[in-house]
Amino acid sequence: MKKFLPITLTAAGVIFLSSCSKLFDVRPEGVLLIEDALKTPEDFEKVLNSCYDVAANYYNGRIQMLNEVLSDNLAAPINNNDLNEVYLRRVNFFNGTTNGVYREPYRSIFRINFMIENFGMVEMPESRRLTFEAEGRFLRALGHFEIIKLWAQPYGYTTDNSHLGIRIQNQNTGTQLQIRSTVKEGYDAILQDLWFAKNHLPATNGNYATKYSAMAALAKVYFQMNKFDSAAFYAGQVINSGQFTLEGIDRFKLGPISEGIFITVSTQTPTLLDGRSGAFTGNYRSDNNPNPTLRASKEFYNLVAQRPNDTRLSFFEVRDEGLPTEFVAVTKFNKDAFSIPVLHLTEMMLIRAESLAELSQNLPEAINLINQIRERAFGDDSENLPATATAIEIRDAARLERRIEMFAEGDRIQDLKRRGTKGENITVRGAAWNCPGMVLQFPASDINETFLGNPEGGCN
Amino acid sequence: MVFLLITCFTSGIYAQAIKGKISDKSGPLPGVNVLVEGTGKGAVSDMDGSYEVRGLPANTNLTVVYSFVGYRTERRPINLKPGQTLEINITMAEEISRLDEVVVVGYGVQRRRDVTGSVVKLGAKEVTDMPTPSFETAIQGKAAGVQIITGSGLAGSGSVVRIRGIASISGSGDPLYVVDGIPITQDFFIKGNAGAMNNNPLAVLNPGDIESIEILKDASATGIFGSRGANGVILITTKRGKTPDWTFNFSTRVGTSSPVARPNMLSGPEFLQMYKEAWINDGKVGVPVLPGGIKWEDAQNINTNWVDEVIRVGVKQRYDLSAGRQTNKYDFFAGISFDGNQSYLTGNNYDRSSIRLNGGYNITSKLKISANLSLIEGINNRVDEGWAGGLGAAMSTALPIYPIRNPDGSYFIGGTNPVRLRELKEWRTRELRSISGITLTYNPAKNLYINLNTNYDYMNLVEDIYEPAELLLVTDRVGDSRRFTNIINNWNTFLTATYDWKVNEKNRLNIMAGLEFQEQARGGMSYFSTVAGAPFWKARDMLDNRQDFTPEKSRFGSVFSRINFTNQEKYIVQGVIRADASSKFGPDNRVGFFPSVSGGWIVSEEAFMKYNPVINFMKVKASYGIAGVAPPGNRDLWRSSFGIDSVRGYNGQPILFPLLLENPTLKWETSQIFDAGVEMGLWEDRITTEFSYYYKYSTDVFLNVSLPGYAGFDNFFDNLATIYNQGVEWVVKSKNIAKQNFSWTTEFNIARNWNKITDISGFNEEAVSGGTNDTRVVLGYPVGTNFLVRFSHVDPATGRPVYLDINGEPTFEWNPANRVPAGRVLPDAIGGVTNILRYKNYDLSFLFVFTIGGNIYDSSSKRQLGTFDSDGWNHRTDQFDRWRKPGDVATYPRLTTTPETYGTGTPWINTTLWLHDASYARLRNLTIGYTLPQEAARKLKVRNARIYFTGTNLLTFTRFIGLDPEIARDFENVTDRNMSVNITFLTPPQEKTFNLGIDISF
């Protein structure tokens, strides 16, 4: 018997291992398995909220700053090699900052697609499901739009927009390698999502997306495509909704923002400050940092300073004047935390004004829109456009105010590219609007034989 | 007078003694147990083989027993006359050469004869013969095929240990450490790489407690550990009482620590001169704008030597006291130890205090209980190093033109100031650890043993950080006090039955079978306070804002069996099978089977070899087996899970989000391993040698791949790679001289490993995710390939660096698309040479370790020898050899303030200019000792006493221009640890130590 004890033990063991597989299914603590995570419609609401959360993390200044550094609004970044690469238009596929920002919208898109693909897990009213989907698709469109603007040549770069865009993820693809969609496919998908969102979103939705958010996004996308009639139409719809009124010159603040059409919010409670403006404060802030990373360019400062009564001049301050280290500090973001008006009334007014000018339609309305912005900036009508202003004058006024109003919002470089595709002769800090370095490089982990990288070689 | 009388009286009864010398055929034999049966008296022979036992009764029949592992026990009957001192000289005979030495093999022991695998045994002395930051470092150079790369000069720094190459990428490549049967918690990433150091879970083990270390290298040996043995197993056995009467040991050592090399950074004036040259080279005019907004005139008046400010001569001290005894009824060992280990980095020290109690008690003749209990406290006073501060800052962004303090006495804050950081920040980790177990051994019938072991490895790591407002430059609070507590409970229990079946005169069968179950649970919490005003260890009542970490738990269960069959004491066959189940896999892949089969043939037992004049021993062995690896950590990677954040969320509302991309088909990483070896003894074992070959083919190797951005997740853990390793090892030990008064032995070992990745499932070189990414996974190349743009030369006309593009054509543009496999961190060969010389009571030993071939990547030199730009690094004097005017042929390009001169947009570019040959030889240890002669020892009432001097890392021979050719930087994760040894990034070099020690036993 004793000889066979070990063998008996082995046999017992094998039975033990195979029959007690459950013993080795250790339910993780502190996290939820899918069957526990998605049980009620409210769970989907939380997933959706996490998509907004991600959006707030790339709209906290990160996506805006990559655009802004590429433009002529800023001087060379200090003490930040990654941003300096962007400024030098030599982004390589190891750039941790650009790679990090690139991943964020897709993180949100994964969750949106996951949510849409799993609606079947829970019973909920059709209307509620449609609202969830509409909010998701609104955010998906914004995410795709932000990526396509930075990582691909602009809409209109080729006449049929068959040039390589980005990956449009309308469904999750796991670990499968995918090809780049064309820019045309990209804009088509973005518009599809926004139309759906416009049709199914409510008119009010707290701090979340509304049908006006979708319309404002449509105006912005169409404007970027140089489709002025649609841009003017949707911008007009938002302006005339009566839901939004202009703020003062500073619309970056905590609490409600009356001109915010879609905002990503920083929240303050007595116990918690949930700030979502870190990349603005971290890079521009000049009251607690003698050497801010990002500073306005001299050229931009001079543009603002040529109208000394412009109250927006107070957002800028020349430091170390006359020294080799002289620079233009930005004071606009000298605060701890604020919400970000991603889509706002000022932009809608300027889109509509410029679009009307481009279309030579309703010029008095266009003049009125610009003058509202100017009166806010100057405190009086001293800089107003005359009623006799020509379409060209209106367009140029809109562009000037747009550049000043939307400083640091990442608009300038896309505006220049848009105008480049229209055939205007555009150079940005000495380089053509469509040179390779104007487009960021994809992360090294994305580029392979299936997914081609952008051409390198900067803009020299 | 009374005293004299008493002396006379007592000596009248117990004045009798025995003494003499014990030797074997090659000379004096130290360490032999001498026991006079029935009296409880005994001794251990000293260095020259002498022994003496006093106080024996007269006119009594006694038996003296001489015993020593590996030798035949001798017995001598005596009957002493009153006052007699009898001299008995003994020559001990080895027991059938060294074949009956007992070797720990996992769930039991085997006679050396029966071992069919590759096992290296190191004794206590080899582990404690020199001061090291952690016990495993002392193994370096002493075991063939075991590569040990010592981490850095930080106190308590760990090493990277690789047995027979590296077969894992994103799974742990470390061997399994088993202490007295307990697979211990060995996670190097509990604290990430905070402050540029990985927490070393092995640093708490007291080397003084270690009796022996067995390193299992091949499938035959590791097979019994199944899925966990793929990277080798290191078995640690702690001391137990072994002398018939009480033996006390006391040892102490004091020493100093200094760096093996000092960085050659620029002085203030040198920096300004070079900076100005760069400024002028770029065509800029006027006064150069310096980093940190420092004015040129001010900079000229400052010359801070930051290296001097952050290093010192560290002081080391160690005290170890133990007592032990073994009788028929019980055995007992108790040890207490303190090790105070200052590094040469100012403010950094690791203090370890430990207590150990090991004992056994025979409850009945059939039932024995034994226990190992240890309690250890390790306190690490941390400093920021590497990229985080300290010496790393002195080698990088702390410029010599920055002062330590402003004229008003306040700290300078305009740029990096490592002194300010060190002096203001308080940082301490305290690890409480207990590795303990209880064993019940039941012997119900002859040769049948049943063992039940229950073990518990408890780890409680508390990290306290305090940063005062003055450091944080804030005014709204006193400072930030943080505490992070990590608790790991590791339970393990196993039941084994062993039967030694003597089938008949010729055949023996040893059968062992067992069951094992292990559960590891991890949890912890953090605390935060802005009002405590001190680190929490000084302000315990201020613990506030508690948050619990997500707990993790994993389970592991096994059933295993080993059958060892011996025929005529010369043919051995062994079969092992182990089935493991792990909670880290889904239901379909949960159980893995890991069999191995092996055989040995002791050729020298054959009749035809009996009278061979040269070869007195020869054994041939071979094995084949399958081993595996489970994913690291305790989290499920096979199924998706979701996190919920209701505290912050977004917009004041909770958020719910997926945490990982599930992989339901995740399965064991498996290695098929073939080994063959031959052991020989020549000229009556004057020379012993062993040659081994291994081939290891690892499939389903884990890769934590970087997913493309559009996948929505950063990475994915999957079985994606195939790696093969093969290698050869050669060990030779020679007793060059073996005379009574003079002996000299030499041990030499060398190992070569070939390693190649043969499949990465179509992913590119950027596939492997995370970490410092210093090396790449490249198809057709070894693990840890330096994948770099090739630097060609400095253009004599322009001074610009010339690179080679992918086709080998010269270009001024640095483009990462031009990277090629340019080097490898794995060496061609590694090894060590130990020489031990004894002359009378003096001994001298020295150990050289060496590495031949392979590369070291001096990652920080891309900045230390690169551009002078606004984020300001100090540079090294190597850069004096630079291009200055057309026609210059120089090592380094023209100085510049912008990376564009070097054909790039960033100063952080990797090229082969920073890749160096990693070959080196190092005098790892030199020890000179003197053992007190027996006469003198007796006068001092001690059994043995030895005083010695030992120095470590005294000499290094290398062509590497950086600080230390043997280095392991801080790692981000397991993958990094496998791939990026021999990369240095501001890593503090190893320490050089000088020590004086005393060992006394009484």
Side-chain angles (χ1 to χ4, degrees):
Chain A
M1 166 58 204
K2 64 193 180 190
K3 294 169 197 169
F4 302 104
L5 184 76
I7 295 159
T8 317
L9 203 58
T10 311
V14 171
I15 294 163
F16 152 77
L17 276 190
S18 47
S19 64
C20 297
S21 190
K22 273 270 182 285
L23 182 66
F24 298 102
D25 189 339
V26 181
R27 278 189 91 75
E29 294 173 53
V31 297
L32 299 168
L33 297 180
I34 189 164
E35 57 268 28
D36 304 320
L38 297 179
K39 281 180 172 164
T40 64
E42 287 66 38
D43 293 330
F44 281 89
E45 197 166 86
K46 291 173 194 158
V47 173
L48 184 61
N49 198 33
S50 85
C51 304
Y52 282 101
D53 174 59
V54 177
N57 289 343
Y58 61 83
Y59 279 123
N60 74 349
R62 293 161 79 197
I63 196 91
Q64 296 93 329
M65 111 195 140
L66 296 186
N67 282 287
E68 210 68 4
V69 170
L70 267 182
S71 81
D72 50 5
N73 276 354
L74 299 182
I78 302 299
N79 292 340
N80 188 317
N81 291 303
D82 283 355
L83 289 182
N84 203 42
E85 260 189 25
V86 177
Y87 184 80
L88 294 174
R89 298 178 282 241
R90 283 175 167 275
V91 172
N92 77 62
F93 51 58
F94 290 138
N95 192 302
T97 304
T98 59
N99 290 355
V101 176
Y102 170 79
R103 286 181 170 277
E104 290 289 315
Y106 284 120
R107 211 181 298 284
S108 156
I109 289 166
F110 176 92
R111 296 178 190 181
I112 294 158
N113 292 340
F114 171 83
M115 179 182 75
I116 293 171
E117 287 160 16
N118 285 284
F119 276 134
M121 289 185 69
V122 172
E123 292 242 337
M124 67 177 102
E126 175 75 359
S127 59
R128 193 155 189 200
R129 188 189 66 75
L130 282 173
T131 309
F132 285 156
E133 182 171 350
E135 286 187 65
R137 291 180 69 174
F138 168 76
L139 290 173
R140 186 166 78 184
L142 281 193
H144 281 139
F145 185 51
E146 295 300 347
I147 301 172
I148 205 167
K149 283 190 291 178
L150 275 172
W151 276 272
Q153 289 288 3
Y155 189 89
Y157 173 79
T158 55
T159 47
D160 58 355
N161 291 301
S162 61
H163 59 287
L164 287 178
I166 57 159
R167 180 65 208 167
I168 295 295
Q169 284 291 93
N170 282 346
Q171 58 190 41
N172 287 337
T173 53
T175 59
Q176 299 294 315
L177 298 183
Q178 304 294 322
I179 58 164
R180 285 173 73 173
S181 316
T182 65
V183 167
K184 178 173 189 320
E185 289 164 347
Y187 275 84
D188 286 349
I190 291 165
L191 291 174
Q192 289 280 348
D193 276 344
L194 290 176
W195 288 331
F196 183 91
K198 169 184 70 85
N199 293 336
H200 295 100
L201 282 170
T204 55
N205 196 11
N207 283 325
Y208 300 111
T210 64
K211 71 174 179 183
Y212 301 109
S213 310
M215 287 180 187
L218 279 166
K220 189 162 178 152
V221 174
Y222 279 122
F223 187 64
Q224 191 66 39
M225 298 164 80
N226 285 317
K227 301 211 164 161
F228 300 116
D229 46 356
S230 299
F233 171 77
Y234 285 113
Q237 293 265 303
V238 176
I239 296 165
N240 297 328
S241 70
Q243 301 275 328
F244 311 101
T245 54
L246 284 181
E247 287 277 348
I249 54 169
D250 184 9
R251 59 186 159 267
F252 292 85
K253 55 183 207 176
L254 274 174
I257 299 172
S258 68
E259 66 170 87
I261 304 161
F262 176 65
I263 63 173
T264 53
V265 288
S266 292
T267 319
Q268 189 166 30
T269 68
T271 54
L272 185 78
L273 175 60
D274 178 15
R276 302 302 180 103
S277 49
F280 281 110
T281 52
N283 292 293
Y284 290 100
R285 205 169 165 178
S286 59
D287 55 344
N288 65 354
N289 181 1
N291 276 313
T293 303
L294 299 179
R295 304 108 184 264
S297 67
K298 260 307 171 27
E299 184 242 320
F300 177 83
Y301 178 77
N302 291 339
L303 183 78
V304 185
Q306 72 190 3
R307 295 183 295 183
N309 295 332
D310 192 339
T311 55
R312 295 168 300 190
L313 196 53
S314 65
F315 291 143
F316 306 95
E317 212 175 277
V318 179
R319 301 257 175 95
D320 291 358
E321 203 161 353
L323 295 176
T325 49
E326 181 180 309
F327 71 98
V328 181
V330 178
T331 58
K332 190 174 185 176
F333 305 109
N334 287 352
K335 37 195 160 187
D336 288 333
F338 41 85
S339 297
I340 312 297
V342 174
L343 297 167
H344 50 77
L345 184 59
T346 303
E347 184 180 11
M348 289 302 112
M349 291 165 69
L350 292 169
I351 284 176
R352 181 153 171 89
E354 187 168 346
S355 298
L356 292 176
E358 289 280 4
L359 296 165
S360 275
Q361 291 172 0
N362 297 353
L363 295 186
E365 187 198 342
I367 292 167
N368 175 41
L369 288 168
I370 287 171
N371 287 346
Q372 284 185 53
I373 302 292
R374 289 203 165 165
E375 284 175 25
R376 178 175 69 175
F378 293 91
D380 56 30
D381 59 4
S382 60
E383 292 289 334
N384 277 10
L385 279 175
T388 56
T390 64
I392 296 288
E393 285 167 344
I394 297 166
R395 183 196 72 180
D396 290 349
R399 287 176 176 178
L400 173 64
E401 299 312 326
R402 185 178 185 89
R403 185 173 179 192
I404 297 170
E405 282 290 338
M406 294 180 68
F407 173 84
E409 292 180 39
D411 185 67
R412 170 69 175 167
I413 187 66
Q414 300 304 335
D415 205 42
L416 290 171
K417 289 185 180 192
R418 178 186 66 79
R419 287 158 54 184
T421 62
K422 261 179 82 218
E424 293 182 36
N425 180 23
I426 301 287
T427 58
V428 188
R429 289 189 278 111
W433 62 274
N434 54 357
C435 62
M438 287 288 183
V439 175
L440 303 183
Q441 184 56 286
F442 292 97
S445 52
D446 281 53
I447 302 170
N448 49 47
E449 283 166 14
T450 311
F451 189 101
L452 304 178
N454 282 321
E456 297 203 356
C459 286
N460 302 323
Chain B
M1 186 64 201
V2 173
F3 175 76
L4 263 180
L5 269 177
I6 292 170
T7 312
C8 289
F9 183 70
T10 49
S11 62
I13 299 170
Y14 287 119
Q16 299 68 234
I18 54 169
K19 67 172 191 178
K21 289 212 167 199
I22 304 170
S23 55
D24 67 358
K25 61 194 172 194
S26 54
L29 194 60
V32 177
N33 273 318
V34 182
L35 172 67
V36 183
E37 276 185 343
T39 65
K41 294 197 182 294
V44 176
S45 65
D46 66 8
M47 280 300 166
D48 60 3
S50 303
Y51 75 96
E52 181 167 14
V53 185
R54 307 182 74 185
L56 297 173
N59 302 321
T60 315
N61 283 324
L62 298 168
T63 305
V64 192
V65 181
Y66 301 85
S67 62
F68 191 53
V69 172
Y71 288 82
R72 199 172 283 139
T73 301
E74 300 286 339
R75 304 172 80 87
R76 294 282 184 280
I78 56 167
N79 192 324
L80 299 172
K81 297 182 182 72
Q84 183 188 8
T85 297
L86 182 64
E87 186 164 340
I88 309 173
N89 294 326
I90 291 283
T91 304
M92 306 269 294
E94 283 180 41
E95 243 181 310
I96 330 167
S97 71
R98 60 196 176 286
L99 288 181
D100 288 316
E101 179 190 9
V102 166
V103 180
V104 180
V105 290
Y107 308 100
V109 295
Q110 282 182 348
R111 294 185 305 166
R112 171 72 70 187
R113 167 188 295 276
D114 301 338
V115 172
T116 52
S118 187
V119 181
V120 181
K121 178 170 182 162
L122 298 175
K125 209 183 152 323
E126 288 157 296
V127 186
T128 52
D129 65 353
M130 61 177 171
T132 52
S134 188
F135 85 93
E136 75 281 10
T137 312
I139 301 170
Q140 192 188 20
K142 294 169 187 167
V146 181
Q147 186 188 14
I148 295 179
I149 302 125
T150 308
S152 70
L154 276 154
S157 167
S159 300
V160 177
V161 178
R162 286 169 173 178
I163 296 175
R164 295 192 160 176
I166 175 83
S168 291
I169 296 175
S170 297
S172 171
D174 286 296
L176 175 72
Y177 292 89
V178 179
V179 178
D180 293 326
I182 312 168
I184 59 167
T185 300
Q186 52 179 90
D187 183 347
F188 289 85
F189 298 100
I190 291 172
K191 293 311 310 170
N193 69 346
M197 179 181 171
N198 301 127
N199 186 67
N200 175 13
L202 306 175
V204 295
L205 298 179
N206 174 21
D209 286 350
I210 297 174
E211 172 69 22
S212 70
I213 291 180
E214 265 95 353
I215 303 170
L216 314 185
K217 298 197 288 188
D218 66 357
S220 163
T222 63
I224 198 64
F225 288 97
S227 68
R228 294 176 296 183
N231 295 299
V233 181
I234 295 186
L235 299 176
I236 296 152
T237 309
T238 59
K239 286 179 176 161
R240 306 193 76 89
K242 57 182 178 181
T243 51
D245 54 352
W246 287 100
T247 304
F248 297 90
N249 285 292
F250 174 71
S251 60
T252 180
R253 183 157 66 200
V254 291
T256 62
S257 163
S258 53
V260 293
R262 277 179 65 98
N264 53 338
M265 308 313 292
L266 299 182
S267 69
E270 288 166 343
F271 179 83
L272 288 175
Q273 189 200 337
M274 303 267 281
Y275 195 90
K276 193 165 190 174
E277 182 179 321
W279 184 266
I280 293 167
N281 279 351
D282 292 345
K284 296 186 189 172
V285 292
V287 182
V289 178
L290 289 168
I294 300 275
K295 297 203 169 57
W296 188 266
E297 317 80 80
D298 296 340
Q300 284 174 311
N301 296 322
I302 299 161
N303 184 7
T304 306
N305 186 330
W306 288 106
V307 174
D308 283 350
E309 299 298 329
V310 297
I311 65 172
R312 63 172 175 193
V313 175
V315 177
K316 298 178 176 300
Q317 48 184 321
R318 186 179 125 83
Y319 308 94
D320 204 293
L321 178 66
S322 66
R325 188 180 188 198
Q326 181 182 29
T327 70
N328 293 334
K329 200 69 186 162
Y330 69 89
D331 67 88
F332 180 79
F333 174 86
I336 181 165
S337 164
F338 174 78
D339 194 337
N341 190 353
Q342 278 189 353
S343 75
Y344 61 81
L345 299 157
T346 308
N348 176 222
N349 64 297
Y350 182 73
D351 291 344
R352 177 184 53 229
S353 312
S354 70
I355 298 172
R356 171 170 290 280
L357 291 172
N358 285 357
Y361 183 73
N362 298 320
I363 300 168
T364 69
S365 61
K366 291 188 170 175
L367 185 64
K368 181 179 178 182
I369 183 167
S370 57
N372 302 319
L373 306 169
S374 73
L375 188 63
I376 313 158
E377 181 192 61
I379 292 182
N380 200 338
N381 286 304
R382 292 287 315 271
V383 287
D384 288 279
E385 278 306 327
W387 45 263
L391 183 59
M395 294 194 279
S396 60
T397 52
L399 299 183
I401 57 170
Y402 296 159
I404 301 169
R405 288 175 180 275
N406 298 314
D408 66 2
S410 60
Y411 287 110
F412 169 76
I413 56 166
T416 304
N417 184 343
V419 173
R420 171 175 175 271
L421 177 65
R422 182 187 73 224
E423 291 182 351
L424 294 178
K425 180 173 177 177
E426 292 187 73
W427 187 2
R428 188 184 95 159
T429 59
R430 174 174 178 264
E431 180 176 350
L432 273 181
R433 186 88 179 253
S434 174
I435 300 175
S436 302
I438 293 176
T439 307
L440 278 172
T441 307
Y442 180 51
N443 180 204
K446 193 170 176 246
N447 294 332
L448 177 65
Y449 294 90
I450 295 170
N451 264 288
L452 176 66
N453 284 53
T454 301
N455 303 305
Y456 178 45
D457 174 7
Y458 170 77
M459 181 174 187
N460 182 336
L461 185 71
V462 179
E463 177 176 48
D464 285 316
I465 299 174
Y466 177 63
E467 294 172 302
E470 188 186 354
L471 177 64
L472 300 170
L473 298 175
V474 294
T475 51
D476 61 342
R477 54 193 193 269
V478 186
D480 290 350
S481 304
R482 290 169 211 279
R483 165 166 286 194
F484 304 97
T485 302
N486 280 277
I487 296 167
I488 301 179
N489 285 300
N490 178 0
W491 288 96
N492 154 271
T493 181
F494 58 89
L495 173 70
T496 62
T498 309
Y499 182 60
D500 209 4
W501 182 17
K502 201 159 185 181
V503 183
N504 54 40
E505 272 309 304
K506 286 185 173 172
N507 297 304
R508 244 169 3 94
L509 196 58
N510 182 287
I511 307 170
M512 187 276 292
L515 294 171
E516 181 167 9
F517 182 76
Q518 187 171 14
E519 181 174 288
Q520 193 175 77
R522 173 185 294 197
M525 44 262 180
S526 67
Y527 300 89
F528 179 65
S529 169
T530 57
V531 296
F536 284 124
W537 86 78
K538 293 178 185 166
R540 280 175 226 279
D541 50 339
M542 304 294 274
L543 287 170
D544 202 359
N545 289 309
R546 172 175 160 163
Q547 285 199 20
D548 290 352
F549 299 160
T550 305
E552 295 175 21
K553 192 193 274 184
S554 67
R555 287 191 187 139
F556 186 86
S558 309
V559 45
F560 49 86
S561 180
R562 175 170 59 213
I563 299 175
N564 187 291
F565 174 72
T566 311
N567 171 260
Q568 301 176 66
E569 298 282 312
K570 59 187 174 191
Y571 307 111
I572 307 124
V573 181
Q574 179 174 291
V576 172
I577 179 143
R578 178 159 178 144
D580 285 336
S582 167
S583 64
K584 295 177 185 180
F585 298 102
D588 298 340
N589 296 311
R590 195 159 281 154
V591 180
F593 290 92
F594 305 97
S596 78
V597 57
S598 54
W601 175 30
I602 302 174
V603 186
S604 51
E605 296 282 309
E606 298 290 350
F608 62 85
M609 288 287 285
K610 272 264 150 58
Y611 302 102
N612 188 308
V614 179
I615 301 172
N616 63 296
F617 171 73
M618 183 170 170
K619 179 175 177 182
V620 180
K621 57 194 179 181
S623 69
Y624 172 80
I626 295 172
V629 176
N634 294 306
R635 279 219 170 98
D636 287 352
L637 298 169
W638 58 274
R639 58 180 159 193
S640 62
S641 53
F642 291 76
I644 187 156
D645 175 1
S646 308
V647 179
R648 193 181 90 139
Y650 172 71
N651 189 34
Q653 302 299 315
I655 58 174
L656 177 69
F657 48 92
L659 293 166
L660 79 147
L661 206 51
E662 64 182 350
N663 183 356
T665 61
L666 190 68
K667 54 181 179 283
W668 302 84
E669 178 176 312
T670 51
S671 289
Q672 297 180 64
I673 310 169
F674 170 77
D675 308 82
V678 55
E679 290 174 52
M680 275 200 278
L682 308 174
W683 297 289
E684 295 304 306
D685 278 354
R686 277 295 282 266
I687 294 175
T688 57
T689 184
E690 179 167 358
F691 180 85
S692 324
Y693 166 82
Y694 61 90
Y695 181 91
K696 187 170 181 177
Y697 185 70
S698 309
T699 52
D700 294 327
V701 171
F702 298 128
L703 281 186
N704 191 23
V705 284
S706 289
L707 288 178
Y710 53 78
F713 273 96
D714 293 349
N715 43 51
F716 186 67
F717 200 87
D718 202 2
N719 305 89
L720 294 170
T722 303
I723 300 172
Y724 93 85
N725 278 276
Q726 66 173 334
V728 288
E729 293 164 2
W730 183 46
V731 185
V732 58
K733 295 183 187 182
S734 161
K735 295 172 185 165
N736 305 324
I737 297 172
K739 294 268 183 327
Q740 182 80 5
N741 276 331
F742 183 55
S743 68
W744 173 27
T745 59
T746 302
E747 295 183 22
F748 172 82
N749 69 74
I750 188 165
R752 162 114 214 214
N753 169 265
W754 288 267
N755 178 288
K756 193 170 170 180
I757 297 167
T758 52
D759 185 20
I760 47 172
S761 301
F763 281 88
N764 69 11
E765 294 79 16
E766 310 311 323
V768 168
S769 154
T772 52
N773 282 346
D774 294 308
T775 65
R776 289 294 186 276
V777 167
V778 186
L779 187 63
Y781 288 86
V783 175
T785 289
N786 303 104
F787 194 63
L788 299 166
V789 171
R790 288 167 291 176
F791 168 86
S792 172
H793 62 281
V794 174
D795 177 33
T798 61
R800 294 185 64 185
V802 178
Y803 310 102
L804 299 181
D805 72 11
I806 199 83
N807 302 313
E809 297 297 322
T811 170
F812 284 128
E813 282 293 305
W814 179 88
N815 184 339
N818 290 332
R819 291 168 306 151
V820 296
R824 62 198 151 81
V825 296
L826 286 177
D828 289 338
I830 53 165
V833 193
T834 309
N835 276 287
I836 301 168
L837 294 99
R838 286 206 176 85
Y839 174 69
K840 291 187 175 168
N841 287 54
Y842 296 90
D843 60 272
L844 166 71
S845 67
F846 52 95
L847 163 66
F848 275 95
V849 295
F850 61 85
T851 286
I852 302 167
N855 293 103
I856 183 164
Y857 190 69
D858 190 0
S859 188
S860 30
S861 59
K862 64 185 161 228
R863 300 304 312 271
Q864 294 166 328
L865 301 170
T867 58
F868 283 84
D869 46 60
S870 64
D871 66 347
W873 275 49
N874 197 4
H875 288 231
R876 301 199 329 225
T877 57
D878 306 81
Q879 209 173 5
F880 290 159
D881 179 11
R882 67 198 183 273
W883 183 96
R884 302 179 78 170
K885 59 180 187 308
D888 281 0
V889 174
T891 305
Y892 300 104
R894 65 186 290 158
L895 304 184
T896 182
T897 60
T898 169
E900 288 191 291
T901 308
Y902 297 164
T904 157
T906 168
W908 295 90
I909 58 166
N910 294 310
T911 76
T912 56
L913 186 53
W914 322 122
L915 188 68
H916 305 275
D917 181 354
S919 299
Y920 74 91
R922 171 166 270 173
L923 177 55
R924 191 90 176 91
N925 181 22
L926 171 78
T927 302
I928 301 168
Y930 175 72
T931 306
L932 219 54
Q934 201 67 14
E935 279 297 310
R938 199 157 46 234
K939 279 180 192 153
L940 294 171
K941 309 265 188 229
V942 298
R943 290 185 198 220
N944 260 310
R946 178 168 175 262
I947 182 164
Y948 63 95
F949 162 84
T950 184
T952 60
N953 294 333
L954 300 180
L955 295 169
T956 306
F957 305 93
T958 180
R959 283 181 297 180
F960 175 53
I961 61 163
L963 293 175
D964 193 337
E966 182 205 3
I967 204 89
R969 66 169 294 180
D970 52 292
F971 301 115
E972 296 286 335
N973 51 39
V974 168
T975 311
D976 222 10
R977 189 170 159 84
N978 289 330
M979 290 178 54
S980 297
V981 295
N982 265 24
I983 307 289
T984 163
F985 185 78
L986 303 174
T987 315
Q990 289 185 44
E991 61 180 10
K992 175 190 286 188
T993 69
F994 297 98
N995 312 272
L996 195 61
I998 298 172
D999 294 337
I1000 302 170
S1001 72
F1002 47 91

